[in-house]
Amino acid sequence: MNSPGTHVHHLDEVRILDLFAGPGGLDVAAHFLGYKSIGIEWDHNACETRYAAGLPTIHADVSVMRETRFDEIPTSVDVLAGGPPCQSFSVAGNGAGRRALETVKEFIHRLVDGEDEAEIDRDLHALGDSRTALVLEPLRWLLKAIETDGRDPYKVIVLEQVPEVLPLWEVYAKLLRGGEGRLRGVKYEAECWKLKTEQFGVPQTRKRAVLVARLPGHGAIRPPEATHLPFDLLRGKRSAVQPDMLPTETVSSGPQKRWISMGEALDTASRMEGSPVDVSRLRTNGSLDFFVVSNYGSGGDPKNRGRRLSCEPAFTVTGKISRNKVYKSLAEYEAENSDRFTIPESGVLQTFPHNFPWSGNDQAQQVGNAVPPRLGMHVLGRALRGMAPSDDELAAASTWPSVPRATTEELRRLGCGDRSQCPPDSHKVIRPRGESGP
């Protein structure tokens, strides 16, 4: 891999380091707020999306990067951000992380207290799910910056995860406020909250645990102010395909607007110039009325699939969103004549720009793993400048700027180089049996 110093125009004035960057949810948010970022991502497919989008990226394992290549991170970086993989903590996962929450809290204290990291790593490995340990990586990156000559402590830390991780963020916050042990007297103002994405204009219901920490001197840290009503406030119990049970007109209460529905979001995206979002197949007599049947069961019954109407927010967008079934009518439902959301449509439900250049394989997984950029804009805006994104910034975030192919190629050289430092086997091509090639 070439030295980042030879790519000054991409890494100059980079302020935000995005760990576990995925396809770029936080980076997209930073872009529309006017901040430059660089992401570390181990998945080659997500890196391809990032290169196509013009997002500076290092294709690497976050732990390896910290241990052996820390000096490649630009010294201009003063914001540490990221969302460690959540599968072991997620309700949808096997729950290893949730069962080990108390143990992981102990590891956080052990790291700050200065215990031998090799022993900590051995104990973490014994938990049986290596992904659980990744929730400690942001703390390790912070400690690395504090303990490395020529580096300053990060001025701002922004972390997000599934709501089950909130107790760990609370431990983080308490230790960051104390500044003891390996923190060497560096103290932060730190707060954490549980946020609902639909309250920030994201057309899906999704809960996230968010931590924001900041060096003192910039005032108290306040939570992002919700701009929309929570979906649960207006939703009543109803049977599956009865669109007349809910209002479609805008309902407001004070300064907050009604949540944004998936129908509204997709319809708006489809009307943009050159948009790859085409929902004409879901229209009936010009009206965009449909309903979605979830890929997941509810209430402990895998056969009891949840349903949402087009006038409601989408279900949480996961890597399995392409398995959700979309129907235009009850007749189609009874005939099992279903449709699916396309990748651009799924991206719009995550609040990515309608023309975001999804690339590589496993694109549905990329979409599902991402932070919704609109939520990211609210969190980063509050953390970095103490205010919400402006209406103009939010409006601009609907369209992604065109990226020249030369820029994509240069970012690929920056991120992968000769591939010698990329994660093992990440560029391996599996060929069909009998097919040969170089």
Side-chain angles (χ1 to χ4, degrees):
M1 175 174 165
N2 295 326
S3 169
T6 62
H7 301 271
V8 177
H9 60 297
H10 287 307
L11 300 187
D12 188 32
E13 299 181 351
V14 166
R15 282 201 60 193
I16 300 173
L17 172 62
D18 186 3
L19 306 179
F20 313 103
L26 282 176
D27 304 77
V28 169
H31 168 83
F32 287 114
L33 293 176
Y35 298 102
K36 293 188 67 173
S37 64
I38 184 169
I40 301 174
E41 175 55 43
W42 73 271
D43 178 61
H44 178 239
N45 294 308
C47 287
E48 283 302 314
T49 292
R50 295 177 61 86
Y51 300 150
L55 298 173
T57 306
I58 299 175
H59 182 205
D61 179 276
V62 166
S63 301
V64 172
M65 196 77 199
R66 170 180 52 80
E67 293 168 353
T68 64
R69 302 171 61 189
F70 189 77
D71 60 342
E72 294 182 32
I73 303 301
T75 56
S76 59
V77 166
D78 61 1
V79 179
L80 180 69
C86 66
Q87 290 91 336
S88 63
F89 294 98
S90 173
V91 172
N94 63 19
R98 297 197 304 280
R99 291 191 296 271
L101 272 176
E102 294 304 317
T103 303
V104 176
K105 289 179 184 178
E106 295 177 9
F107 287 128
I108 294 174
H109 284 281
R110 289 170 64 182
L111 276 173
V112 173
D113 290 343
E115 288 193 28
D116 180 67
E117 289 204 36
E119 182 175 346
I120 291 175
D121 288 337
R122 285 194 294 271
D123 291 344
L124 281 167
H125 182 72
L127 292 177
D129 191 329
S130 60
R131 297 170 300 183
T132 302
L134 296 178
V135 77
L136 301 178
E137 276 299 322
L139 176 60
R140 287 176 143 162
W141 275 81
L142 169 60
L143 296 174
K144 184 81 170 184
I146 291 173
E147 296 170 349
T148 300
D149 291 338
R151 296 275 178 169
D152 294 324
Y154 301 111
K155 294 179 180 178
V156 180
I157 301 167
V158 177
L159 305 177
E160 67 84 34
Q161 249 276 13
V162 293
E164 288 75 17
V165 175
L166 187 62
L168 300 185
W169 288 166
E170 290 170 343
V171 174
Y172 261 61
K174 183 178 180 180
L175 291 173
L176 292 175
R177 296 184 196 114
E180 298 178 357
R182 291 175 65 189
L183 291 169
R184 298 183 178 182
V186 177
K187 297 182 180 181
Y188 288 84
E189 302 285 345
E191 300 293 341
C192 43
W193 318 282
K194 187 182 295 185
L195 304 178
K196 293 182 176 182
T197 58
E198 79 271 19
Q199 290 194 266
F200 297 91
V202 179
Q204 65 168 298
T205 52
R206 189 187 196 104
K207 296 177 182 178
R208 305 304 289 178
V210 173
L211 177 144
V212 172
R214 195 165 57 201
L215 291 177
H218 300 281
I221 297 175
R222 301 186 185 281
E225 294 182 5
T227 55
H228 293 70
L229 295 169
F231 177 56
D232 289 343
L233 182 65
L234 296 177
R235 184 186 184 197
K237 291 185 177 180
R238 47 128 178 95
S239 53
V241 284
Q242 294 179 336
D244 57 326
M245 292 294 289
L246 284 175
T248 57
E249 71 274 8
T250 299
V251 180
S252 62
S253 175
Q256 295 183 349
K257 308 171 188 175
R258 193 202 68 167
W259 31 261
I260 296 176
S261 72
M262 53 182 156
E264 291 172 296
L266 295 174
D267 184 54
T268 299
S270 71
R271 297 177 188 277
M272 294 182 177
E273 183 177 355
S275 176
V277 176
D278 181 2
V279 290
S280 59
R281 72 191 189 285
L282 300 178
R283 296 186 187 276
T284 302
N285 298 323
S287 178
L288 188 59
D289 291 326
F290 60 85
F291 63 95
V292 179
V293 178
S294 173
N295 178 58
Y296 296 100
S298 61
D301 181 0
K303 296 181 180 180
N304 182 24
R305 303 299 172 93
R307 294 164 173 80
R308 290 279 174 90
L309 309 175
S310 57
C311 60
E312 298 178 302
F315 296 106
T316 298
V317 174
T318 72
K320 302 296 189 295
I321 186 171
S322 59
R323 298 184 184 180
N324 290 349
K325 296 181 179 181
V326 184
Y327 300 92
K328 286 199 301 182
S329 66
L330 179 59
E332 284 194 350
Y333 176 71
E334 292 175 340
E336 298 186 0
N337 183 21
S338 63
D339 208 319
R340 310 278 177 160
F341 287 129
T342 66
I343 293 300
E345 291 164 359
S346 302
V348 166
L349 296 178
Q350 278 278 54
T351 64
F352 277 87
H354 69 96
N355 60 335
F356 196 69
W358 300 102
S359 303
N361 296 321
D362 296 330
Q363 292 180 14
Q365 194 67 49
Q366 292 183 49
V367 174
N369 287 347
V371 179
R374 185 158 178 140
L375 177 67
M377 291 178 71
H378 281 275
V379 173
L380 288 177
R382 177 64 73 181
L384 300 180
R385 61 191 191 192
M387 64 179 68
S390 69
D391 290 341
D392 288 344
E393 287 170 332
L394 291 172
S398 61
T399 302
W400 192 248
S402 177
V403 176
R405 181 178 294 274
T407 298
T408 293
E409 293 298 330
E410 187 172 1
L411 287 172
R412 187 179 289 112
R413 287 192 295 271
L414 168 66
C416 292
D418 63 4
R419 303 181 179 180
S420 63
Q421 297 193 73
C422 295
D425 297 327
S426 58
H427 290 275
K428 185 177 181 180
V429 176
I430 300 177
R431 300 182 181 279
R433 185 176 298 176
E435 181 180 327
S436 61

